[in-house]
Amino acid sequence: MKKHIIAIAVTTAALALSSGASASTIFANDALSVDLNGRIEANSILANHDMTATKIGRIGILAQTQITDSGYSALGYIEKDLAVSQDIEKLRYLYVGAGNANNQLMFGKTDSALGLVTDFTDIQNTGSSFADTKLMDREDNQLAYTATFNSLTVETAYKFDGGKSEDHNNKAGGSLAAKYDMGYGVTLGAAYANKTVDGQSEQRDEQTMLGASYSLDNIYAAIVYQDAIVHDFGPNKHIRGYELATSYALNEQIVLSGSYSYLESVHNGDAAKLIAANEATVNASYYFNPNFRTYAGYTMQIGGQHDNAHNELALGARFDF
């Protein structure tokens, strides 16, 4: 049974370890396996002639035990930021669940389903991404389900009223997403989220995202489009925009990437349009091995129409384990 549990861990860890780090098994016997993952990262950002240093320490623990002879395992996962620049310890994930190679059900603080699509363009070490604009992100008191059917992946999540959330109100809401691998390097995705406005039970925020990606050997390109209604923005509550991202691997060590993000909020058509984001980012990353990388990135604001618009130069190093 020990080998079977470890095999299940490889599959479920891919779903559980949302930080993207590779898991290392630190304990395993006939009944239990425990995997450890984490990140240590430091970078410096130069903007408006000011240098800001950022430090991140992160650790996650995944525990699993087989509960049926047909391949189902129970799991528990916790991930926490141990040290950040603001000296705040932040709980990122904490959930329990059960699943097999094709299905996983979780409850606790989990990801919403929107990440299935925002991951298409969230590929760089620096710069902002549509992943930062999700209506529902890491949510507490949430029930989430992921299923894989050959080339199709479906995720759904429902957040119950109450419980803490990641920079979002604590009201009830749900999200649904699907991703389909069409073959020939083409993948399509769609996602939708709907959530009660804090203090306004009769109003609901909603967000729709569509994505597509293409990969061929060492080339990758993707686009994500979003359309949302966010009542906190007042009259300019209709949000829409798109993000493009691409990368090119020169070899196993050097990866070049770039992205462009545009996001606007509108009221009465385009009569009172506000630009929320209009920026381009280029990155160069050097991977010494799968665990250690260094990177440099430059983000350029285009047009300067929005507040706090400034160009940024970032240099950093990251160790994953």
Side-chain angles (χ1 to χ4, degrees), residues 63-77:
Q64 296 183 99
T65 183
Q66 185 173 331
I67 56 177
T68 72
D69 291 334
S70 59
Y72 279 87
S73 295
L75 63 91
Y77 184 67

Side-chain angles (χ1 to χ4, degrees), residues 270-286:
D270 291 334
K273 181 169 63 177
L274 299 177
I275 306 301
N278 187 12
E279 64 183 39
T281 298
V282 292
N283 266 216
S285 304
Y286 187 89

